[in-house]
Amino acid sequence: MGKMIPLGDKLRDLRNERNLSQAQLAKRIGVTSSTIALYETGERLPSLPRLIALSRSFGVTTDYLLGVSRQKDCFLDVVGLTQKQIESLEAIIENYREQF
């Protein structure tokens, strides 16, 4: 079996960077503090909706949390585009969010 995803370490580090207790983070994403403790020790992995909630809470990508990417955030470079082009891209992105 491969190496376990370092999700727990990342969650602990991000939580500590933001001076959040396990209870505070748990409240933010709708779980118990013991669930956060299990995530951080690697004894349990979050469900997909909880993973997304964690990434939104910390302002990082799910890829970063899962160890797929070292980049914490990912932004679309819109430099050089007109406001109308940017709005079109935002509409496309929102459409994808609603579909998936």
Side-chain angles (χ1 to χ4, degrees), residues 65-84:
L65 289 178
L66 295 172
V68 175
S69 172
R70 290 186 184 153
Q71 187 174 343
K72 284 186 178 182
D73 50 27
C74 182
F75 297 99
L76 187 61
D77 184 1
V78 295
V79 174
L81 297 179
T82 67
Q83 186 60 37
K84 185 171 178 131

Side-chain angles (χ1 to χ4, degrees), residues 4-7 10 51 61-72:
M4 184 61 154
I5 299 169
L7 176 67
K10 289 186 186 293
L51 181 68
T61 65
T62 55
D63 281 356
Y64 175 76
L65 289 178
L66 295 172
V68 175
S69 172
R70 290 186 184 153
Q71 187 174 343
K72 284 186 178 182

Side-chain angles (χ1 to χ4, degrees), residues 15-59:
R15 183 176 57 75
N16 288 332
E17 284 172 15
R18 286 155 179 79
N19 296 313
L20 292 172
S21 67
Q22 288 180 340
Q24 289 169 319
L25 177 58
K27 186 174 181 179
R28 280 187 177 189
I29 68 163
V31 297
T32 64
S33 57
S34 61
T35 299
I36 297 297
L38 290 171
Y39 292 165
E40 290 184 0
T41 60
E43 294 178 49
R44 183 172 175 186
L45 290 174
S47 66
L48 184 55
R50 295 292 182 240
L51 181 68
I52 292 168
L54 286 163
S55 77
R56 288 182 177 160
S57 180
F58 289 128

